[in-house]
């Protein structure tokens, strides 16, 4: 028997998620069991109209509490169960650092273009430092929604590009090299099908992102066979080009956190 459910990251719940289906089946069979949901991102609860009401309906709960960490009950509970935290820092690889720097350059360029395109909006908090947090694109979208009918297509596209670039920063750390490169190819393919491709994909920063992301997965090395003649006649050049071959060597850069996790497991086993 299941007495109840504790749902973490409740702001991610939707009508089509597996969690909402489980809760619906549970509530049909059990009317007295408890359901409690938690969220550490209150900013995401008001980014859409009626999202709080929809979440309460999906969770089958009636009350919503907004408790900061300095609330007396929360502070006492955290003080009683203080965790032992061991911080392990992991440096990025050279390719990952280059990709991260290029993403910063692309984000800074998009922010400058957005400020030029929308001078009527209050974008003083629209800085690269704030762009590292997940609520950055949400705050921009909330401001654009107020003038959405007067905002140009270019401004809307730049706002969407900022969301994509911020997600790429998360993917760079959370995804492996192959998944990250595949995600970049999907973004590029989706942009080609649009009427107006994303501006950041045509920049030099995007070229660096794709080049280093590909180098993390594989490298292409030309391999030429020795020609019988050293003359540079057109026929000889065509023969050399015909004999020119390319070797694809997989690199598959391993995420540093995997190695660190393996070391932690070895220490636990020992």
């Amino acid at each position: 028997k299941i007495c109840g459910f504790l749902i973490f990251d409740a702001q991610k719940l939707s009508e089509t998620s597996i969690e909402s289906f489980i809760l619906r089946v549970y509530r049909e069979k059990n009317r007295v069991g408890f359901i409690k949901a938690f969220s550490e991102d209150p900013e995401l609860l008001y980014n859409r109209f009626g999202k709080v009401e929809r979440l309460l309906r999906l969770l089958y709960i009636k009350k919503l509490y907004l408790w900061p960490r300095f609330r007396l009950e929360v502070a006492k509970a955290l003080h009683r169960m203080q965790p032992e935290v061991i911080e392990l820092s992991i440096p990025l690889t050279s390719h990952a650092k280059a990709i991260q720097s290029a993403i910063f350059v692309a984000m800074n360029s998009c922010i400058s273009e957005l400020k030029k395109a929308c001078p009527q909006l209050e974008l003083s908090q629209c800085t690269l430092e704030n762009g590292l947090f997940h609520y950055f694109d949400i705050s921009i979208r909330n401001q654009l929604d107020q003038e959405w009918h007067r905002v140009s297509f270019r401004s809307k596209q730049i706002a969407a590009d900022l969301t994509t670039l911020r997600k790429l920063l998360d993917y760079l750390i959370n995804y492996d090299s192959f998944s990250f490169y595949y995600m970049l190819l999907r973004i590029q393919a989706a942009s080609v099908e649009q009427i107006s491709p994303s501006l950041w994909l045509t920049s030099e920063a995007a070229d660096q992102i794709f080049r280093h992301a590909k180098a993390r997965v594989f490298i292409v090395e030309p391999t030429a066979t020795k020609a019988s003649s050293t003359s540079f006649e057109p026929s000889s050049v065509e023969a050399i080009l015909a004999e020119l071959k390319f070797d694809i060597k997989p690199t598959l850069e391993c995420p540093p956190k995997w190695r660190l996790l393996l070391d932690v497991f070895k220490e636990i086993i020992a």
Side-chain angles (χ1 to χ4, degrees):
K1 295 182 179 180
I2 300 177
C3 297
F5 281 91
L6 298 176
I7 309 297
F8 188 62
D9 286 339
Q11 74 281 354
K12 298 181 180 179
L13 202 69
S14 64
E15 290 83 355
T16 58
S17 61
I18 186 65
E19 292 83 2
S20 61
F21 172 74
I22 294 174
L23 292 178
R24 184 167 62 253
V25 174
Y26 173 73
R27 187 52 77 197
E28 289 176 356
K29 303 294 183 179
N30 190 340
R31 294 287 182 177
V32 297
F34 70 89
I35 297 177
K36 297 183 179 181
F38 304 89
S39 175
E40 294 182 343
D41 298 314
E43 297 87 359
L44 299 179
L45 296 179
Y46 62 86
N47 61 342
R48 292 183 181 178
F49 179 77
K51 186 171 183 178
V52 175
E53 291 80 2
R54 185 166 60 254
L55 283 177
L56 294 178
R57 185 177 66 255
L58 293 175
L59 293 168
Y60 296 95
I61 57 180
K62 298 181 180 179
K63 295 182 180 180
L64 172 66
Y65 299 95
L66 298 177
W67 285 8
R69 288 183 177 270
F70 54 82
R71 187 181 174 89
L72 184 60
E73 295 89 338
V74 178
K76 287 182 178 180
L78 295 177
H79 183 71
R80 287 196 305 266
M81 302 292 293
Q82 291 186 1
E84 181 182 357
V85 180
I86 301 176
E87 185 176 352
L88 302 175
S89 60
I90 310 172
L92 294 176
T93 61
S94 58
H95 289 300
K97 288 181 180 179
I99 294 173
Q100 188 183 61
S101 300
I103 292 177
F104 287 155
V105 172
M107 289 184 66
N108 196 21
S109 177
C110 289
I111 291 173
S112 300
E113 291 294 329
L114 184 62
K115 289 182 177 180
K116 294 178 182 178
C118 301
Q120 72 278 11
L121 299 179
E122 177 60 32
L123 299 175
S124 59
Q125 299 297 325
C126 185
T127 60
L128 183 60
E129 291 77 10
N130 294 332
L132 303 179
F133 301 99
H134 65 275
Y135 60 81
F136 173 73
D137 49 307
I138 297 176
S139 62
I140 292 179
R141 181 59 189 267
N142 290 336
Q143 292 192 48
L144 292 179
D145 284 341
Q146 302 174 7
E147 304 285 338
W148 192 254
H149 60 286
R150 295 193 299 175
V151 176
S152 63
F153 173 79
R154 181 184 178 188
S155 301
K156 297 177 183 178
Q157 188 180 48
I158 294 175
D161 291 341
L162 283 172
T163 302
T164 301
L165 290 171
R166 186 192 59 79
K167 290 181 179 179
L168 285 178
L169 286 175
D170 295 335
Y171 297 158
L172 179 62
I173 300 176
N174 297 323
Y175 285 10
D176 58 90
S177 57
F178 180 81
S179 300
F180 181 78
Y181 184 59
Y182 177 70
M183 181 64 64
L184 285 176
L185 295 180
R186 289 183 57 185
I187 293 174
Q188 187 181 44
S191 179
V192 171
E193 296 178 356
Q194 296 178 357
I195 300 176
S196 178
S198 299
L199 298 177
W200 74 273
L201 286 174
T202 60
S203 63
E204 183 179 354
D207 181 66
Q208 294 182 6
I209 293 173
F210 278 89
R211 179 160 49 84
H212 288 282
K214 184 173 69 174
R216 297 175 69 204
V217 180
F218 64 91
I219 56 176
V220 179
E221 294 182 349
T223 302
T225 58
K226 293 183 179 180
S228 58
S229 175
T230 58
S231 62
F232 291 95
E233 298 177 359
S235 58
S236 300
V237 173
E238 293 175 0
I240 293 175
L241 291 176
E243 295 178 356
L244 189 64
K245 297 181 180 179
F246 294 92
D247 292 337
I248 298 178
K249 295 184 179 181
T251 55
L252 295 178
E253 181 180 274
C254 179
K257 61 181 179 182
W258 289 2
R259 297 191 182 96
L260 184 60
L261 184 61
L262 181 60
D263 294 338
V264 172
F265 286 155
K266 290 180 180 180
E267 183 179 351
I268 295 174
I269 294 174

